[in-house]
Amino acid sequence: MIEAELVSGELRELFGDEIYMRAVYSTTAYDSTFNTSDIHVDIYIGRENMQYTLPSKSIVFFNMDIDGVEWEENIATPLPIGENVKEVLIKSLDFEKIQHNVDGKKNVRMCAGIRNFKEYHREELNYESDYESVCRRVALTEIPQASAIKSFDNRNIYLGVKEYQGNIDAIKYQTLGEIKIEINPLEADCRHDAVIRLGEYSHTVYDVYDSVSFAPPAEWMNAMPAQTQMKGTVTIITYNASGSELGRGATWWNARIGAYAGPSIGEVNVSHIGCTWNNELIYVQGVSKAQITVSGAQAYHGASIVKYSMYCGEHDYSGTENTFTTDTLKDSGMAETGGYVQDSRGFKEYFGAGSAKPVVYPKVYAYAPPRFVDVTAERCETDGSLVNDGSYLKATVYYELSEVLGIENTAVTAIEYKKTTESSYTRLAQGFGNGTALVTEQQFDVNAAYNLRLTITDKFAASSYETILPVSFITMEFLKGGRGISFGKECTIPDAMDIGFKLYARAGIMPITMYDGGEWSGDLARYSLFSVKVECILGKPCWIMCFHGQGSDTIEGNIMRLTENTGGNIDGEEMISILINVNSPSEYEVIRSCTYMSQISLGVLPSGNAIVSHQHNGSTGVKYAESIKQVYALL
């Protein structure tokens, strides 16, 4: 057996007169049986100028092209070049089982270089390139051949071509093409054995003299359960006339599988879920679902089924299950349905739209759930007459039902009720009609409010509507005889307006309250202590004004002066004018204050009321009177 000389060499290039790269390669082993070799590559980077190193964003790369398939390694910098180190090994790479040509020879293309070189290079060198590389075509070790293979016809062999035997279900798999090799014997009276391999499968053709032909069987596809192509080998073993082995030579061939060897589908069934109408199963819009089941899916010769993809209308599924149930079908009309089955080699068999295996599309009939058009629910008497304090319910409901297939729909109705303070509903024995007033037999507490839930259930769906039955209530009432009126409560007090609501005076209040002891005069009016109480709304400004009068000895006179001119000091009258904001029952803020009083105090009661107090010291003595003289408040 002839031994080969192991080839080695290097690829070297200097970049920018400072940085260089070396790729040193060597053959580490070869296999004459399979006609392959292994090589080792060491990649170095060095510098001619010891003061320079690559910047941080440069990238060193090594690339090798073997039979049109590129392999690349990228090494980011900064590089570990020490202060006194000229060169450093940055990467070691091994490439194994590189397939050689039938004559044992092999060339590969090697490239080495630097990216991002220009931008970070020293400016004074004026270097213009951003990408530097060097490429060489390198001859690897020539593997000695024991027998010279003269020619190899048809390296690409397609396995498993479907051949239909008059019936689409009667499929025969055959190989398209065969391996053909012509051999030049090394000496007279030589004979050869040809060993053809693909993965774990092999076949030997014995006693070959000048040529060999072989068609790999379709079963060899089992060696490729998840691939569509794979390299095989042909080894020629040469014997002399006495039967002694002279040597071996090898070459390669390529096994391929086409989509014709893809999966098949047995049956596709689309079934209804949900709706029977007029004793017929149908698809109803917004109600029905569809279920797609793919049965009998099969992959061939080592492959397996790995994926089912299905769709129906706007719904789709992709996974390993062969059954898919849609969500509710939202659109009416024909719901386009289809999909495919995929095997481990990536081949697909389609069904439905545009395929050889049609599917009956679901026909979805138009439908809408029951719709409430108008609802009124009020208190009434037993005869149905409406009253605010009635103990019965009068409900009038208008609703619409959807026809299906031109056949009128029917519905069952119900009313449920509960007090607003309760958690569970009770159902009334009576339902409601369409547009017909219903007066319940059930009585409702006049002192409680109720939640009402009305439900319409037709053949396919239900719709609900919720409303409130309020507490029995009086908005306004007159006292018998006309000498009294009330709001929000029963009228019981004569000669009065009785208000059961909270009262908010948006435009202002100007109450005039006389002193209980009659008109004030003299020192009683002139020298007084005032306590003024005004109710304010929390968080809103409150304007308070009051005064102590000196210009007039009567309350009426002072009020008249105040209404004529509310600003400043009127004829010596002493005024309090304060704008406050009550933030909380214990906090207030004075926004504006203008006073002519001797002493003022301002406070807030827990209720949120504002208190203004004033004490005035007269020249003839101090006299006190506690009463309200005047309040002028704008809320």
Side-chain angles (χ1 to χ4, degrees):
M1 184 75 180
I2 302 173
E3 294 293 332
E5 181 181 352
L6 301 182
V7 172
S8 62
E10 82 168 15
L11 188 69
R12 188 182 191 281
E13 187 72 11
L14 179 64
F15 304 130
D17 298 327
E18 293 186 334
I19 295 295
Y20 68 84
M21 288 187 62
R22 287 197 311 135
V24 180
Y25 60 90
S26 61
T27 303
T28 57
Y30 69 88
D31 187 334
S32 59
T33 300
F34 294 99
N35 203 26
T36 63
S37 69
D38 303 336
I39 66 170
H40 177 81
V41 181
D42 288 325
I43 304 169
Y44 296 87
I45 190 164
R47 52 189 173 182
E48 297 292 339
N49 184 340
M50 296 295 289
Q51 300 302 316
Y52 182 70
T53 187
L54 284 178
S56 62
K57 293 188 178 180
S58 292
I59 296 175
V60 176
F61 69 91
F62 177 79
N63 174 287
M64 187 153 77
D65 185 326
I66 306 173
D67 296 328
V69 178
E70 290 193 5
W71 183 95
E72 182 168 296
E73 177 79 14
N74 292 284
I75 308 105
T77 57
L79 301 171
I81 301 179
E83 182 177 352
N84 298 315
V85 177
K86 178 179 178 62
E87 181 183 81
V88 65
L89 173 67
I90 60 173
K91 195 75 174 182
S92 293
L93 303 170
D94 289 290
F95 299 87
E96 298 179 344
K97 293 182 171 44
I98 300 174
Q99 189 70 55
H100 285 230
N101 302 328
V102 292
D103 58 2
K105 297 179 180 180
K106 187 66 177 181
N107 292 329
V108 297
R109 184 173 180 269
M110 295 184 184
C111 295
I114 304 174
R115 295 190 179 93
N116 299 338
F117 192 59
K118 171 187 173 183
E119 182 177 354
Y120 302 101
H121 201 276
R122 295 195 314 184
E123 295 181 359
E124 59 268 24
L125 294 178
N126 195 26
Y127 201 70
E128 296 183 354
S129 176
D130 189 43
Y131 175 94
E132 278 298 314
S133 66
V134 58
C135 296
R136 298 283 189 275
R137 187 163 291 279
V138 175
L140 303 183
T141 296
E142 183 176 343
I143 301 174
Q145 302 294 300
S147 59
I149 298 176
K150 183 178 181 180
S151 65
F152 193 149
D153 185 25
N154 195 18
R155 286 185 183 272
N156 295 309
I157 306 299
Y158 282 86
L159 306 178
V161 179
K162 288 181 180 178
E163 181 182 295
Y164 296 101
Q165 306 294 314
N167 187 319
I168 195 169
D169 295 323
I171 300 174
K172 175 185 177 183
Y173 286 89
Q174 64 176 10
T175 296
L176 183 63
E178 62 181 1
I179 297 171
K180 294 181 181 180
I181 298 177
E182 298 291 331
I183 302 172
N184 283 329
L186 292 179
E187 58 184 61
D189 299 326
C190 286
R191 71 172 183 84
H192 311 276
D193 291 343
V195 181
I196 300 97
R197 291 186 177 89
L198 182 68
E200 69 270 24
Y201 292 90
S202 66
H203 177 78
T204 302
V205 181
Y206 295 97
D207 298 331
V208 176
Y209 289 92
D210 53 6
S211 67
V212 61
S213 297
F214 176 70
E219 287 74 17
W220 284 26
M221 287 191 292
N222 289 315
M224 308 159 61
Q227 300 169 263
T228 58
Q229 64 178 6
M230 182 178 181
K231 277 192 174 181
T233 62
V234 178
T235 302
I236 304 297
I237 307 173
T238 302
Y239 302 90
N240 61 18
S242 63
S244 298
E245 182 178 330
L246 295 177
R248 300 186 178 207
T251 188
W252 60 272
W253 63 283
N254 197 33
R256 295 174 180 264
I257 301 176
Y260 40 72
S264 63
I265 297 174
E267 297 292 333
V268 179
N269 183 50
V270 183
S271 57
H272 304 72
I273 293 181
C275 296
T276 302
W277 178 253
N278 202 26
N279 297 321
E280 179 184 356
L281 279 171
I282 64 171
Y283 296 96
V284 177
Q285 179 184 6
V287 180
S288 297
K289 300 179 180 180
Q291 186 176 79
I292 307 172
T293 302
V294 179
S295 57
Q298 186 176 356
Y300 297 94
H301 296 298
S304 58
I305 300 296
V306 297
K307 181 180 179 181
Y308 292 86
S309 180
M310 296 170 266
Y311 67 89
C312 179
E314 69 273 24
H315 307 289
D316 58 54
Y317 164 79
S318 181
T320 58
E321 300 295 329
N322 70 325
T323 298
F324 165 51
T325 300
T326 70
D327 290 331
T328 301
L329 299 171
K330 297 179 181 179
D331 300 325
S332 61
M334 304 301 292
E336 184 175 304
T337 302
Y340 62 82
V341 172
Q342 181 176 321
D343 70 10
S344 54
R345 295 187 180 107
F347 296 134
K348 300 174 182 178
E349 181 72 4
Y350 288 86
F351 61 87
S355 73
K357 196 169 194 66
V359 174
V360 178
Y361 295 169
K363 183 177 182 180
V364 184
Y365 291 98
Y367 165 79
R371 186 176 76 90
F372 287 89
V373 178
D374 185 64
V375 177
T376 58
E378 301 171 283
R379 288 184 177 271
C380 68
E381 300 287 5
T382 54
D383 61 358
S385 57
L386 299 177
V387 289
N388 289 331
D389 56 350
S391 299
Y392 298 88
L393 166 66
K394 183 176 184 179
T396 305
V397 183
Y398 292 87
Y399 60 85
E400 292 179 349
L401 299 178
S402 176
E403 291 186 351
V404 179
L405 285 172
I407 301 175
E408 186 176 351
N409 205 342
T410 58
V412 175
T413 63
I415 299 178
E416 296 172 289
Y417 67 93
K418 70 177 184 68
K419 291 182 178 180
T420 55
T421 56
E422 297 175 342
S423 58
S424 59
Y425 281 89
T426 301
R427 181 168 176 167
L428 289 175
Q430 302 161 273
F432 54 86
N434 193 357
T436 304
L438 166 70
V439 178
T440 64
E441 298 173 357
Q442 171 71 35
Q443 285 188 301
F444 293 85
D445 187 349
V446 296
N447 295 314
Y450 288 83
N451 293 112
L452 301 178
R453 184 166 65 195
L454 290 71
T455 304
I456 306 171
T457 306
D458 69 3
K459 293 291 185 181
F460 307 113
S463 298
S464 295
Y465 181 93
E466 295 187 2
T467 187
I468 296 289
L469 183 66
V471 176
S472 174
F473 185 72
I474 298 174
T475 303
M476 183 178 70
E477 186 175 78
F478 290 98
L479 188 66
K480 186 175 181 180
R483 294 186 60 83
I485 188 171
S486 65
F487 295 91
K489 64 182 297 295
E490 185 180 1
C491 187
T492 57
I493 304 175
D495 299 320
M497 177 188 293
D498 193 0
I499 300 176
F501 302 117
K502 289 184 177 179
L503 181 61
Y504 295 92
R506 303 292 181 182
I509 302 174
M510 188 173 177
I512 299 174
T513 305
M514 297 300 296
Y515 179 59
D516 292 341
E519 291 188 0
W520 290 8
S521 61
D523 289 339
L524 185 62
R526 292 178 182 274
Y527 308 103
S528 304
L529 173 70
F530 302 104
S531 294
V532 180
K533 177 182 176 182
V534 179
E535 183 173 353
C536 299
I537 300 174
L538 293 182
K540 297 189 68 176
C542 183
W543 183 252
I544 303 173
M545 297 179 67
C546 59
F547 71 93
H548 170 92
Q550 291 182 350
S552 173
D553 289 337
T554 65
I555 296 297
E556 290 88 340
N558 286 327
I559 290 173
M560 186 177 299
R561 292 174 181 274
L562 181 62
T563 56
E564 291 172 353
N565 181 1
T566 58
N569 194 338
I570 305 174
D571 295 335
E573 296 144 349
E574 295 176 333
M575 308 288 294
I576 299 175
S577 176
I578 301 175
L579 180 62
I580 68 170
N581 189 43
V582 182
N583 300 318
S584 71
S586 61
E587 179 184 359
Y588 65 88
E589 175 186 6
V590 177
I591 300 175
R592 183 181 302 168
S593 176
C594 178
T595 70
Y596 294 92
M597 293 290 191
S598 305
Q599 298 177 20
I600 298 174
S601 62
L602 177 63
V604 178
L605 296 179
S607 63
N609 296 326
I611 298 294
V612 179
S613 297
H614 163 247
Q615 177 178 330
H616 179 74
N617 298 323
S619 59
T620 59
V622 179
K623 295 186 178 181
Y624 305 102
E626 294 185 6
S627 180
I628 296 177
K629 290 195 63 178
Q630 169 65 36
V631 176
Y632 182 78
L634 296 175
L635 303 180

mmCIF file of all heavy atoms in Angstrom, residues 245-259:
data_model
loop_
_atom_site.group_PDB
_atom_site.id
_atom_site.type_symbol
_atom_site.label_atom_id
_atom_site.label_comp_id
_atom_site.label_asym_id
_atom_site.label_seq_id
_atom_site.Cartn_x
_atom_site.Cartn_y
_atom_site.Cartn_z
ATOM 1 N N GLU A 245 -4.837 -8.835 -1.575
ATOM 2 C CA GLU A 245 -5.332 -7.458 -1.692
ATOM 3 C C GLU A 245 -4.181 -6.528 -2.029
ATOM 4 O O GLU A 245 -3.171 -6.474 -1.329
ATOM 5 C CB GLU A 245 -6.006 -7.022 -0.399
ATOM 6 C CG GLU A 245 -6.577 -5.625 -0.474
ATOM 7 C CD GLU A 245 -7.295 -5.199 0.802
ATOM 8 O OE1 GLU A 245 -7.850 -6.088 1.513
ATOM 9 O OE2 GLU A 245 -7.290 -3.980 1.098
ATOM 10 N N LEU A 246 -4.393 -5.771 -3.099
ATOM 11 C CA LEU A 246 -3.384 -4.800 -3.493
ATOM 12 C C LEU A 246 -3.611 -3.436 -2.840
ATOM 13 O O LEU A 246 -2.668 -2.675 -2.632
ATOM 14 C CB LEU A 246 -3.379 -4.634 -5.019
ATOM 15 C CG LEU A 246 -2.958 -5.860 -5.833
ATOM 16 C CD1 LEU A 246 -3.083 -5.572 -7.329
ATOM 17 C CD2 LEU A 246 -1.520 -6.244 -5.489
ATOM 18 N N GLY A 247 -4.847 -3.112 -2.554
ATOM 19 C CA GLY A 247 -5.147 -1.808 -1.969
ATOM 20 C C GLY A 247 -6.619 -1.450 -2.138
ATOM 21 O O GLY A 247 -7.414 -2.233 -2.676
ATOM 22 N N ARG A 248 -6.947 -0.256 -1.653
ATOM 23 C CA ARG A 248 -8.341 0.203 -1.689
ATOM 24 C C ARG A 248 -8.403 1.649 -2.156
ATOM 25 O O ARG A 248 -7.497 2.439 -1.885
ATOM 26 C CB ARG A 248 -9.000 0.090 -0.311
ATOM 27 C CG ARG A 248 -9.020 -1.309 0.237
ATOM 28 C CD ARG A 248 -9.802 -1.383 1.526
ATOM 29 N NE ARG A 248 -9.850 -2.752 2.029
ATOM 30 C CZ ARG A 248 -10.832 -3.219 2.803
ATOM 31 N NH1 ARG A 248 -11.823 -2.416 3.159
ATOM 32 N NH2 ARG A 248 -10.797 -4.470 3.211
ATOM 33 N N GLY A 249 -9.467 1.978 -2.818
ATOM 34 C CA GLY A 249 -9.758 3.354 -3.204
ATOM 35 C C GLY A 249 -11.234 3.637 -2.985
ATOM 36 O O GLY A 249 -12.054 2.723 -2.978
ATOM 37 N N ALA A 250 -11.573 4.888 -2.752
ATOM 38 C CA ALA A 250 -12.973 5.212 -2.433
ATOM 39 C C ALA A 250 -13.376 6.535 -3.069
ATOM 40 O O ALA A 250 -12.536 7.385 -3.390
ATOM 41 C CB ALA A 250 -13.166 5.285 -0.923
ATOM 42 N N THR A 251 -14.651 6.680 -3.255
ATOM 43 C CA THR A 251 -15.242 7.925 -3.699
ATOM 44 C C THR A 251 -16.615 8.051 -3.052
ATOM 45 O O THR A 251 -17.018 7.200 -2.252
ATOM 46 C CB THR A 251 -15.331 7.992 -5.234
ATOM 47 O OG1 THR A 251 -15.751 9.298 -5.616
ATOM 48 C CG2 THR A 251 -16.306 6.959 -5.789
ATOM 49 N N TRP A 252 -17.330 9.105 -3.362
ATOM 50 C CA TRP A 252 -18.617 9.348 -2.703
ATOM 51 C C TRP A 252 -19.741 9.475 -3.727
ATOM 52 O O TRP A 252 -19.516 9.723 -4.909
ATOM 53 C CB TRP A 252 -18.547 10.616 -1.858
ATOM 54 C CG TRP A 252 -18.219 11.866 -2.664
ATOM 55 C CD1 TRP A 252 -16.976 12.341 -2.950
ATOM 56 C CD2 TRP A 252 -19.152 12.740 -3.301
ATOM 57 N NE1 TRP A 252 -17.045 13.463 -3.721
ATOM 58 C CE2 TRP A 252 -18.381 13.737 -3.949
ATOM 59 C CE3 TRP A 252 -20.535 12.784 -3.379
ATOM 60 C CZ2 TRP A 252 -18.973 14.769 -4.677
ATOM 61 C CZ3 TRP A 252 -21.125 13.810 -4.098
ATOM 62 C CH2 TRP A 252 -20.356 14.790 -4.735
ATOM 63 N N TRP A 253 -20.968 9.294 -3.247
ATOM 64 C CA TRP A 253 -22.176 9.545 -4.028
ATOM 65 C C TRP A 253 -23.208 10.196 -3.124
ATOM 66 O O TRP A 253 -23.064 10.198 -1.897
ATOM 67 C CB TRP A 253 -22.723 8.258 -4.659
ATOM 68 C CG TRP A 253 -23.165 7.218 -3.648
ATOM 69 C CD1 TRP A 253 -22.361 6.391 -2.918
ATOM 70 C CD2 TRP A 253 -24.508 6.904 -3.274
ATOM 71 N NE1 TRP A 253 -23.078 5.595 -2.089
ATOM 72 C CE2 TRP A 253 -24.425 5.865 -2.300
ATOM 73 C CE3 TRP A 253 -25.769 7.345 -3.654
ATOM 74 C CZ2 TRP A 253 -25.540 5.294 -1.707
ATOM 75 C CZ3 TRP A 253 -26.887 6.781 -3.072
ATOM 76 C CH2 TRP A 253 -26.775 5.784 -2.115
ATOM 77 N N ASN A 254 -24.192 10.774 -3.698
ATOM 78 C CA ASN A 254 -25.174 11.557 -2.936
ATOM 79 C C ASN A 254 -26.563 10.950 -3.083
ATOM 80 O O ASN A 254 -27.104 10.869 -4.192
ATOM 81 C CB ASN A 254 -25.188 13.008 -3.434
ATOM 82 C CG ASN A 254 -25.862 13.934 -2.422
ATOM 83 O OD1 ASN A 254 -25.767 13.715 -1.227
ATOM 84 N ND2 ASN A 254 -26.533 14.958 -2.922
ATOM 85 N N ALA A 255 -27.136 10.492 -1.951
ATOM 86 C CA ALA A 255 -28.503 9.942 -1.947
ATOM 87 C C ALA A 255 -29.483 11.072 -1.661
ATOM 88 O O ALA A 255 -29.288 11.862 -0.728
ATOM 89 C CB ALA A 255 -28.620 8.856 -0.897
ATOM 90 N N ARG A 256 -30.523 11.145 -2.444
ATOM 91 C CA ARG A 256 -31.544 12.189 -2.285
ATOM 92 C C ARG A 256 -32.931 11.569 -2.175
ATOM 93 O O ARG A 256 -33.177 10.495 -2.724
ATOM 94 C CB ARG A 256 -31.523 13.167 -3.466
ATOM 95 C CG ARG A 256 -30.242 13.980 -3.575
ATOM 96 C CD ARG A 256 -30.234 14.804 -4.847
ATOM 97 N NE ARG A 256 -29.024 15.584 -4.985
ATOM 98 C CZ ARG A 256 -28.887 16.859 -4.619
ATOM 99 N NH1 ARG A 256 -29.920 17.492 -4.075
ATOM 100 N NH2 ARG A 256 -27.732 17.494 -4.767
ATOM 101 N N ILE A 257 -33.795 12.296 -1.481
ATOM 102 C CA ILE A 257 -35.199 11.898 -1.379
ATOM 103 C C ILE A 257 -36.040 13.089 -1.788
ATOM 104 O O ILE A 257 -35.855 14.199 -1.272
ATOM 105 C CB ILE A 257 -35.574 11.457 0.049
ATOM 106 C CG1 ILE A 257 -34.701 10.289 0.499
ATOM 107 C CG2 ILE A 257 -37.050 11.090 0.132
ATOM 108 C CD1 ILE A 257 -34.950 9.875 1.928
ATOM 109 N N GLY A 258 -36.976 12.886 -2.683
ATOM 110 C CA GLY A 258 -37.851 13.969 -3.138
ATOM 111 C C GLY A 258 -39.201 13.928 -2.459
ATOM 112 O O GLY A 258 -39.528 12.994 -1.705
ATOM 113 N N ALA A 259 -39.999 14.963 -2.727
ATOM 114 C CA ALA A 259 -41.312 15.086 -2.088
ATOM 115 C C ALA A 259 -42.243 13.946 -2.449
ATOM 116 O O ALA A 259 -43.247 13.710 -1.764
ATOM 117 C CB ALA A 259 -41.950 16.426 -2.471
#
